Amino acid sequence: FAKRAFLHREAIRSIPDDGEAWHYLGMCLQKLEHVSALQLSTSALIHATSLIPNDARLWCNLGLILDRQQKKDDKLLLEGDRERIEMCYKESIQLHQKCMRLGCDVLSDFETAVLNYGLFLSYRGDWEKAIEIISLIDCEDKITQQKKDAEKLKTFCSAQFRNKESLPQELQ
């Protein structure tokens, strides 16, 4: 991945406003698994959103990387961090929905964004909101692995939500 990152960096030197190159650079850097590489990855992806703000996959990837960076830095998730990550997932989902309304075949990417957002919420114990988000995936039509994963996550979150609701208020 270091070689790929180098090649994307060279492409950026040739065409500094190439949002796709910045996106791919950010994705290569995050694979290097170093905290500094993760920070550079985040910076590259943020810059890419300024160049190609309507790229739904980019927003989803930025949400994933921001969450990963927060975990890697081993710091508490502050409210501003949570809001920023959620904004990325919401933007991704909204852009995918717009594309689908226009007839674009982005269902798989949409389901990925929804699952990633649902997982983010479930890891934070926000079961009700996770269920609401995961419900955006229509699991009735053809069954894919993403739809199976969505059903499993929804079942898990529903059980956790019921368990939380059955606890006395002072233990919640």
Side-chain angles (χ1 to χ4, degrees):
F1 291 103
K3 183 172 181 162
R4 285 185 189 170
F6 173 78
L7 293 173
H8 290 301
R9 189 67 192 123
E10 288 300 307
I12 290 167
R13 282 197 184 116
S14 298
I15 308 171
D17 292 336
D18 185 344
E20 292 272 332
W22 282 100
H23 184 181
Y24 293 133
L25 173 63
M27 295 312 293
C28 284
L29 289 170
Q30 64 93 22
K31 296 279 188 187
L32 298 177
E33 295 292 328
H34 300 289
V35 173
S36 59
L38 213 46
Q39 291 166 342
L40 290 171
S41 170
T42 302
S43 296
L45 292 174
I46 289 170
H47 185 67
T49 63
S50 71
L51 299 170
I52 47 175
N54 293 321
D55 186 327
R57 289 179 319 138
L58 170 58
W59 284 105
C60 182
N61 287 335
L62 179 56
L64 282 169
I65 300 307
L66 287 170
D67 189 29
R68 186 176 296 161
Q69 181 179 350
Q70 172 268 322
K71 289 176 185 168
K72 198 78 152 170
D73 288 346
D74 209 23
K75 61 182 181 182
L76 291 173
L77 185 66
L78 302 174
E79 194 59 36
D81 296 333
R82 179 186 171 118
E83 289 172 1
R84 187 174 182 196
I85 294 167
E86 286 197 56
M87 185 275 306
C88 290
Y89 286 126
K90 287 177 183 177
E91 184 69 19
S92 177
I93 290 168
Q94 289 172 356
L95 287 168
H96 279 108
Q97 288 172 323
K98 285 180 186 177
C99 290
M100 288 187 300
R101 281 194 299 274
L102 293 171
C104 299
D105 184 15
V106 294
L107 183 60
S108 179
D109 290 333
F110 168 75
E111 291 171 347
T112 297
V114 169
L115 273 172
N116 287 332
Y117 187 21
L119 285 166
F120 171 78
L121 294 168
S122 69
Y123 289 150
R124 273 124 194 104
D126 195 345
W127 311 116
E128 190 172 17
K129 193 168 182 181
I131 294 165
E132 177 186 330
I133 293 301
I134 297 160
S135 295
L136 293 172
I137 295 177
D138 178 13
C139 294
E140 297 301 315
D141 60 346
K142 67 179 181 177
I143 299 299
T144 63
Q145 187 60 48
Q146 288 169 309
K147 291 177 191 232
K148 290 177 187 176
D149 292 344
E151 276 299 312
K152 288 178 190 175
L153 183 57
K154 189 174 179 181
T155 300
F156 175 78
C157 290
S158 296
Q160 296 301 315
F161 181 69
R162 282 192 303 275
N163 289 341
K164 180 182 174 192
E165 292 296 306
S166 66
L167 290 175
Q169 186 67 29
E170 58 273 5
L171 295 177
Q172 292 183 18

